[in-house]
Amino acid sequence: MKNVTVSAVEEAFTLECLDIAPDKSISHRCAMFSLLSDKPSKIKNFLLGEDTLASLSIAEQLGARVQREGGNVQIIPPSKLTEPSNILDCGNAGTGMRLYAGLLSGIEGSFILTGDKYLRSRPMNRVGIPLRNIGAKIDGRENGNLAPLAIRGGDLKSFKYASPIDSAQIKSALILAALQADETSLYKEELLSRDHTERMLSGMGATVALQSDGWIKIVPLEKPLNPLNITVPADPSSGFFFAVAAAIIPSASTVIKNVTLNPTRIEAYKILEKMGTNISYIEKENIYEPIGDIEISYNGTLSATTVESNIAWLIDELPALSIAMSVANGTSLVKNAKELRVKESDRISTVLTGLNACGIETIEHEDGYEIIGGEIKSATVNSHGDHRIAMSFAIAGLLSEMKIEDTECIDTSFPNFFDILTQITHIKD
Ligand code: S3P
C-alpha cells in the first residue's frame, strides 16, 4: 500500500494545467465504439490510466489490433468480433463493465466480465435487468447483480425504457444493445446524463437522437459505422481537483487547458462559481464536444451552498467539492445524491469519514450530507481504494499537511496527478 504526505502550500500559485489527464469517459468509449466500424479509428490523447487501458485491452481480446505510441492510438477493428479465449478484466471501471455488458449482449459468443474487488462489489443489475428484459443472457453472483458476469450474446429485442436512475452508464449500455436490436428503440432519463455516447455515435453515423419529447431514439445499425478520428479533451473531473485548489488558496489561480466544456460535465465548476470563486470558460473548438479552457482564481472566502439538482452532472466531483464546502462560511447541504453510495467507494461514508478526521463537522443523510464549514486540520485519511477520495484529500493537504493512505488507485484515472501537485507544494512518500 502506497502512502503519500502532502504539505500545506507556502505561497500562492499560478498553475497552467496543460497536462490534466485526458477524459476517462470519452477514452473508454473510443476503445469500445471503434469496434463498431470496419475501418481503423485514430485517437489522440487517449487516457493511459489503468481503467481505460483495461477497456483497450478488452477491445484487443475481442479481435481488434491496437497500435499505440504513448497516447496516440490506432484501433483496427476485426471484420467480426471474436469470442475471447480468456476472461475480460475491467479493472476498477464501472464504465468499462457496464458498457461492455451492453455491447457484448448482442454479440454471438460467451464472455466473462470481471474486475477488481471494488468493482466486483458494485451493482450490475441496473444494466442487467433492462438488458435481460430485451433478451440478453447475463448471469452473475447474487442473482446476476455482482461480477464476474457471464454473458452469452445473442439476439436482442427493441425496447422503450424509462430509466429510474439518471446514469450515463446505464444509458450507454442500453444504446449499445439497441444498435444491435431488431427494431428502433427508445430510452428516456429524467435529467440528461453525460451524453458522450450520443455525440460520438452520431458523429460516427449512427442514429442516436434526443427527440423533443425527451426520448432518445436509437436505430439499429445496418452497416458498420465510420471510424473515430478524435483528440480526447482533458477531463473536467480531473481538472476539478486543481480548480478547488485555486478556490481555497488565497491569491491562487489555475487554468485548465483544452478541456471538454460539455454542459453535462462542468456543473461542479458552476457550483464553485456560485460559492464565490472567479471562473471563466473560453470555448475554442467544437469537435464532437465543445472544447476550451477554464480559468479559475481565488476570490475570497467561499460561501456555503446547497446542491440538490443536476446531480448526475457533478456526481464525480462531489468529493472534491466537499473539500471546498469544508472551508466555506456556513453549512453546505448535498441531497438527492444517493448514487454516491455505489461509486468506487460509498462516497457519502468515505468523504465524511475523511472530513471528520480533518476536524470538520458533518451530518450524514441517506441521500447526501451536510458540511459545517470550519478549518481543515492535519490528518491521516484512507482512500478506501477510491481515486477521487485520494485526490480530494490530497488537495485538502494544501491547507494543512495530510497523509493519504492507499494512493495507487489514482493511477486508474489520473496517473500524473502528483506530477502536477508537486508544482504547487511538497510531497513526501
Ligand atoms: C460515467 C458515468 C458516471 C460517472 C462515471 C463515468 C461514464 O456514472 O460517475 O465516473 O463514463 O458514463 P453513472 O452514469 O453510473 O452515474
Side-chain angles (χ1 to χ4, degrees), residues 24-25 29 95 98 126 166-169 194 315-316 343:
K24 181 151 82 84
S25 293
R29 286 161 173 79
T95 307
R98 296 190 179 117
R126 51 182 49 210
D166 299 327
S167 155
Q169 295 182 354
R194 65 187 68 188
I315 194 82
D316 288 347
K343 291 295 173 187

